[in-house]
């Protein structure tokens, strides 16, 4: 029953808008997704953005950018190479490839360093780690060739781990319906007027894409008791209140927040009340002009907990 | 330059003291160590205890017990099966097999669950996890058949991660001598009258065994900048002061403490001053009659740090 929830993430900007436009309606997006051993389940679309829900996470396509998140044992690096070959390396404006620390990395076909090496053979870049090696961290390879970053370019990720047992119990109910999960996450309240595309996996697990104009948010739930994990990502700005509510809803033992922004306007601190303490905070500026911040919060544990007992060997 | 410092640990108690006594002088210990792809480098011995320094960590042999610690990509599970087959499962009084969360588990030949399953086929036991799946943790398979635990049976482990850059710089100096490292760890001050056996690895890395009567302590240093790690383990009692001093010497970003004891006399709290905060505390009682505690401390980070930049792809 183990499933590696930790996402790999690929973001590629292209120089010429026609390149991606011309691919619409072709089998390209299906091929791109298949290259990493995932499948397209469904899609929603508007003038600015197409969002594909995948068997392992999500793909978003703007007129000049793609964003692909995949989890499990997917080989996202293969999709990256497929895309670069198809578009031509000379048409790539910028690239980010990100992997967070995985729980069972021995089940992964490659590791971050190997992936970064194969990208660096094509595109000059740098590899960094945010967080600590022996704690929560994420590793990023990114292209260092300068380009004009868009004003207002903003991304934030909220990665929640080891949720409260009641939350896990609810999310592992095999009869859960979409509507119940949307209500649980207060989707209609927190994300008004977004077009929603979501899927409940068998026996459990949940993925959601929401889009409105060029804005997206996505939620992926891996509730398995052995490694419970929920991720949220968005390019909506002023998101602190939503992040706060999501941590209240999900009650994780620990969570990470990762933000990328071309502006200096990101709050350097979040306020998660008296329940959590900030264990790690890293802040840096990339050669692309992005400010990046990484936070790791841990619930305060006033009373010692009992050991986790494996019910069977899984 | 990556080296997996995280130890695997095997402790086996036998019913009949002659069983281990009769093996002294034979090639058995060498074979046992070779089974997990390690080698014996040297040994020290007294009436009660023999300590072998290994190419990957340590083996301790008492008249009725063995304790084996190995790191890197060693297959300690193979040594466990070799020992059980040689001694006979009917002569095993108790068994503990422990693996902590590894940094690059994809480089490991097996994982904890697989190892525990193969042991459970021979010996009735239980598997537990101390710590959180998505944070520092250690997993233990132990035999649940009751036996008379010895009074005063006490073990403590201190596992230190991501040491201060000055400490790493010192420990990765390729010209370091044993004497300098002993002085750095204040061995003579903290462990009076212990017989010491230590080894400096090439280009760096350090292992030490110390014994006095039936007491041991052992230190293993993996200073590689990509995953710096220092472990300390001992059966010396009233060890809080020593643990405190070791954290002051090594200045880790985070550390775990794990204690096993048949008594209730272990302090439930350590005092690590104002520099660290307690992130996890777990406490339980095993069927063997041992109390077990797990603590995870994290340095307070007042000012955000910069990202870690990979100098080259390793």
């Amino acid at each position: 029953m183990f499933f590696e929830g930790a996402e790999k993430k690929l973001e590629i900007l292209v120089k010429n808008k026609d390149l991606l436009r011309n691919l619409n309606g072709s089998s390209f997006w299906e091929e791109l997704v298949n290259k990493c051993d995932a499948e397209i389940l469904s899609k929603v679309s508007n003038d600015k953005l197409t969002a594909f829900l995948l068997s392992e996470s999500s793909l978003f396509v703007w007129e000049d950018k793609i964003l692909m998140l995949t989890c499990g044992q997917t080989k996202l690096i293969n999709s990256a190479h497929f895309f670069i070959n198809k578009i031509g390396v000379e048409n790539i404006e910028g690239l980010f490839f990100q992997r967070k620390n995985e729980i069972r990395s021995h089940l992964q076909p490659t590791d971050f360093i190997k992936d970064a090496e194969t990208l660096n053979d094509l595109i000059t870049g740098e590899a960094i780690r945010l967080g600590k090696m022996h704690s929560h961290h994420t590793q990023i390879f990114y292209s260092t060739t300068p380009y004009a970053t868009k004003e207002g370019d903003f991304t934030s990720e909220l990665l929640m781990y080891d949720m409260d047992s009641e939350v896990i119990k609810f999310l592992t109910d095999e009869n859960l319906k979409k509507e119940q999960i949307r209500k649980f996450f207060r989707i209609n309240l927190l994300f008004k007027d977004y077009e929603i595309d979501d899927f409940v996996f068998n026996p459990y697990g949940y993925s959601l894409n929401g889009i409105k104009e060029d804005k997206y948010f996505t939620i992926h739930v891996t509730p398995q008791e052995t490694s419970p994990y929920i991720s949220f990502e968005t390019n909506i700005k002023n998101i602190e209140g939503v992040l706060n509510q999501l941590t209240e809803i999900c009650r994780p033992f620990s969570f990470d927040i990762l933000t990328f922004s071309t502006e200096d306007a990101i709050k350097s601190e979040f306020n998660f009340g008296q329940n959590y303490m900030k264990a790690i905070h890293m802040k840096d500026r990339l050669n692309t002009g992005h400010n990046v911040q990484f936070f790791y919060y841990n619930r305060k544990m006033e009373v010692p907990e009992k050991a986790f007992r494996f019910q069977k060997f899984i």
Side-chain angles (χ1 to χ4, degrees), chain A:
Chain A
M1 286 305 296
F2 177 80
F3 186 80
E4 184 72 61
E7 285 95 358
K8 305 168 189 76
K9 177 175 166 180
L10 172 70
E11 194 174 323
I12 302 182
L13 289 84
V14 298
K15 289 180 179 169
N16 186 329
K17 293 178 181 180
D18 292 333
L19 288 168
L20 299 189
R21 240 181 230 141
N22 292 341
L23 292 165
N24 285 341
S26 77
S27 63
F28 177 75
W29 303 116
E30 204 177 322
E31 286 177 62
L32 178 71
V33 168
N34 293 348
K35 282 293 169 198
C36 72
D37 300 333
E39 281 174 38
I40 295 174
L41 299 176
S42 57
K43 72 167 182 175
V44 285
S45 193
N46 65 32
D47 285 355
K48 306 217 166 145
L49 175 58
T50 301
F52 297 93
L53 206 63
L54 310 184
S55 54
E56 274 90 2
S57 307
S58 296
L59 166 66
F60 298 92
V61 182
W62 291 263
E63 61 177 2
D64 58 353
K65 190 169 88 171
I66 68 160
L67 167 64
M68 195 167 173
L69 301 164
T70 66
C71 59
Q73 295 172 50
T74 51
K75 303 184 186 100
L76 185 57
I77 187 67
N78 292 357
S79 295
H81 282 284
F82 176 78
F83 186 91
I84 296 166
N85 286 335
K86 181 81 179 181
I87 298 295
V89 69
E90 69 282 4
N91 292 314
I92 305 296
E93 180 95 324
L95 176 144
F96 289 83
F97 182 82
Q98 178 184 337
R99 283 177 72 165
K100 63 179 296 304
N101 56 305
E102 286 131 0
I103 285 299
R104 292 207 184 162
S105 62
H106 66 283
L107 298 176
Q108 295 293 329
T110 64
D111 70 3
F112 168 76
I113 300 293
K114 283 224 175 63
D115 288 354
E117 278 172 343
T118 71
L119 291 172
N120 198 46
D121 288 342
L122 298 174
I123 292 173
T124 306
E126 179 179 60
I128 62 169
R129 182 177 63 236
L130 292 155
K132 292 283 179 178
M133 190 66 192
H134 289 280
S135 183
H136 290 201
H137 62 261
T138 193
Q139 300 183 119
I140 303 172
F141 173 86
Y142 73 100
S143 59
T144 43
T145 309
Y147 60 91
T149 50
K150 277 190 189 171
E151 211 173 313
D153 187 4
F154 184 91
T155 310
S156 61
E157 302 175 18
L158 170 66
L159 315 173
M160 295 178 280
Y161 309 91
D162 296 318
M163 287 80 69
D164 193 273
S165 58
E166 278 179 35
V167 172
I168 293 173
K169 196 179 165 192
F170 171 76
L171 291 171
T172 52
D173 177 346
E174 299 188 11
N175 299 313
L176 263 189
K177 301 277 178 288
K178 281 181 187 182
E179 292 67 31
Q180 293 169 281
I181 304 179
R182 287 191 196 189
K183 196 175 168 194
F184 173 80
F185 282 112
R186 301 178 203 155
I187 298 298
N188 295 339
L189 293 167
L190 295 177
F191 307 95
K192 287 204 173 80
D193 307 324
Y194 275 74
E195 189 173 1
I196 303 294
D197 186 18
D198 54 356
F199 190 87
V200 182
F201 292 89
N202 182 10
Y204 37 69
Y206 177 73
S207 284
L208 178 150
N209 287 339
I211 62 172
K212 182 165 79 173
E213 300 180 350
D214 64 343
K215 298 297 179 201
Y216 75 96
F217 75 96
T218 185
I219 295 175
H220 298 284
V221 178
T222 310
Q224 276 80 340
E225 198 194 14
T226 48
S227 64
Y229 174 68
I230 297 176
S231 72
F232 168 78
E233 173 164 337
T234 189
N235 62 351
I236 304 171
K237 293 172 89 168
N238 304 317
I239 199 71
E240 288 86 350
V242 170
L243 300 185
N244 217 332
Q245 290 215 38
L246 287 173
T247 61
E248 277 175 21
I249 292 166
C250 299
R251 287 183 271 163
F253 174 72
S254 63
F255 60 88
D256 306 332
I257 293 173
L258 193 61
T259 62
F260 294 87
S261 172
T262 52
E263 297 167 28
D264 248 344
I266 311 166
K267 273 181 147 169
S268 66
E269 297 291 334
F270 295 91
N271 177 17
F272 291 99
Q274 292 303 305
N275 296 328
Y276 292 95
M277 58 194 186
K278 187 178 63 181
I280 296 180
H281 181 191
M282 298 182 92
K283 187 177 182 178
D284 215 320
R285 191 171 175 85
L286 306 184
N287 289 348
T288 55
H290 288 88
N291 296 313
V292 56
Q293 291 205 63
F294 178 88
F295 299 86
Y296 162 40
Y297 287 87
N298 197 117
R299 193 193 297 147
K300 290 177 187 168
M301 197 185 268
E302 308 292 352
V303 179
E305 287 185 9
K306 293 271 183 197
F308 173 84
R309 284 174 161 75
F310 290 91
Q311 292 308 307
K312 52 186 174 182
F313 297 108
I314 28 134

